[in-house]
Amino acid sequence: GETLMQTLRLSTEQPTPFQELQTAAVQWVVTGTVLDRPLQFPVTKPLLPLGRHAIGRAESIAIDGTLTDWGELRFAVRRQGDILSPDLDPADASYRFDVREGAEHLFLAIDVTDDDVQVLPDLIPRSQDAVLLFIDPRPAPQRNRPMSAGEAALGGDMAAQVATIVATGDALTDELLGFVQETNAAIDYRVQRTDGGYAAEFAIPLALIGEKAAAAGFPAGDWREARISIGIYDLDAGDHAPTPLFWQPYRYGNASLPGTELFVRP
C-alpha cells in the first residue's frame, strides 16, 4: 500500500518545438516475494510531457490532395512516438500534419515521406501503406480508457469515434472494421502521390463529430476538445506486414499514455 513519488528532470540536446518532443521510455523492476519466493517484474512505461494543442482556423480548403491551401504543416513526425513499436528511418517513413477548423468542417492534412509506396488493391488498407485517423470528442474518462485494439474494434470503442484507415489507392473493404466504410461515406478525403511519397487531405463535418459527442453525453456540437490520433502504416516491397508510425503513444497499444494527442478548438 505504500506510494513512492519520483521526480525526473527532462531536457533535450537542442531546442525542440513542444509538439515534436519524442516519447521517452522509463524502465524499472518491481521486486517482492510470493509464497516466500523472490519475484521480479520488469515494467516499461512511456514518458512524455502532456499538453493541449490548438486547432488552427481555416476559411476554405479544397480537398484535392495537393495541400496547396495549407502552407507549412505544424506537426512533424520523424521518429516513432510509440515506445513498443519499431522505429523507422525518417527517409523510409516520416510525415508532417496539421489540423484546422472551418465553418462546417474539421480539416486535416498529412504529407508523408515514403521511399517505397505500395498500392495493393487485393489487400485491406491496414495491410499496406495507409493513413490511420481517430477523432474522439468524448469526455476524458472514455477517450483515455486503456484497452487493446481488438477490444476497441470489436467492443465498439473505435466506432464511437470518427475513425478511418485510408489506403494510398484502391484496396479491399475491411469487413472487420465496418465503421470505416460508414466514416468514409460521411467525410470527404483525397490521397495523391507526391515525388517523395504521398499526401492526404480530410474534411470531416463538424456535425458528425457533434453526433459522436452527443452519443457520449455532450449536447451535439458542444465539444470543446478532442483526442486526435494519427499515424501511418508503412509497407515496403518484400515486407510481410506494414510497420506503424505514430505521432505519440498508440492509444490501443500496451504503452498508451492518457492525456496525449489532445487538441482544443479555436
Side-chain angles (χ1 to χ4, degrees):
E2 183 180 356
T3 300
L4 175 65
M5 300 294 293
Q6 180 69 48
T7 300
L8 301 177
R9 295 186 179 275
L10 306 179
S11 63
T12 57
E13 295 180 354
Q14 56 187 4
T16 303
F18 181 80
Q19 67 269 19
E20 295 182 20
L21 290 174
Q22 188 175 353
T23 309
V26 178
Q27 297 177 320
W28 69 87
V29 177
V30 179
T31 60
T33 58
V34 176
L35 300 177
D36 296 326
R37 295 183 179 182
L39 173 70
Q40 289 190 336
F41 185 71
V43 179
T44 301
K45 291 291 185 179
L47 188 63
L48 183 70
L50 301 181
R52 294 153 62 91
H53 306 280
I55 295 174
R57 291 188 179 275
E59 294 297 328
S60 179
I61 292 179
I63 304 301
D64 54 18
T66 66
L67 308 185
T68 54
D69 294 330
W70 287 86
E72 183 177 3
L73 304 181
R74 291 179 294 161
F75 301 88
V77 183
R78 300 184 180 90
R79 290 293 184 185
Q80 181 64 261
D82 182 73
I83 61 172
L84 297 185
S85 296
D87 203 4
L88 289 166
D89 187 280
D92 184 22
S94 57
Y95 55 94
R96 300 188 71 95
F97 74 94
D98 209 343
V99 186
R100 297 177 189 170
E101 182 176 326
E104 297 182 351
H105 294 85
L106 188 72
F107 299 102
L108 188 139
I110 180 169
D111 187 11
V112 180
T113 297
D114 189 337
D115 62 353
D116 183 10
V117 179
Q118 295 288 309
V119 180
L120 303 170
D122 57 338
L123 294 180
I124 58 177
R126 55 192 168 98
S127 295
Q128 57 186 297
D129 286 300
V131 176
L132 170 74
L133 175 63
F134 296 131
I135 302 174
D136 191 348
R138 296 177 298 169
Q142 292 170 267
R143 68 175 182 251
N144 289 329
R145 189 164 71 91
M147 67 183 72
S148 68
E151 180 185 355
L154 299 178
D157 195 77
M158 290 184 181
Q161 311 166 49
V162 178
T164 188
I165 304 173
V166 175
T168 58
D170 292 337
L172 284 182
T173 298
D174 193 334
E175 300 293 348
L176 179 63
L177 305 182
F179 56 84
V180 167
Q181 285 70 52
E182 296 177 8
T183 296
N184 290 351
I187 68 176
D188 188 13
Y189 67 93
R190 296 290 186 278
V191 182
Q192 291 276 7
R193 291 290 299 273
T194 65
D195 291 340
Y198 61 94
E201 289 178 292
F202 298 83
I204 300 96
L206 295 175
L208 177 63
I209 304 174
E211 290 175 8
K212 301 295 184 179
F218 285 131
D222 195 31
W223 61 281
R224 295 307 309 162
E225 59 189 26
R227 184 173 187 172
I228 301 180
S229 306
I230 188 166
I232 63 171
Y233 289 111
D234 178 58
L235 182 72
D236 291 340
D239 289 349
H240 295 292
T243 300
L245 177 62
F246 300 107
W247 169 45
Q248 293 189 348
Y250 180 42
R251 62 177 292 173
Y252 296 124
N254 291 325
S256 61
L257 184 60
T260 53
E261 307 172 314
L262 185 59
F263 285 80
V264 181
R265 299 180 73 178

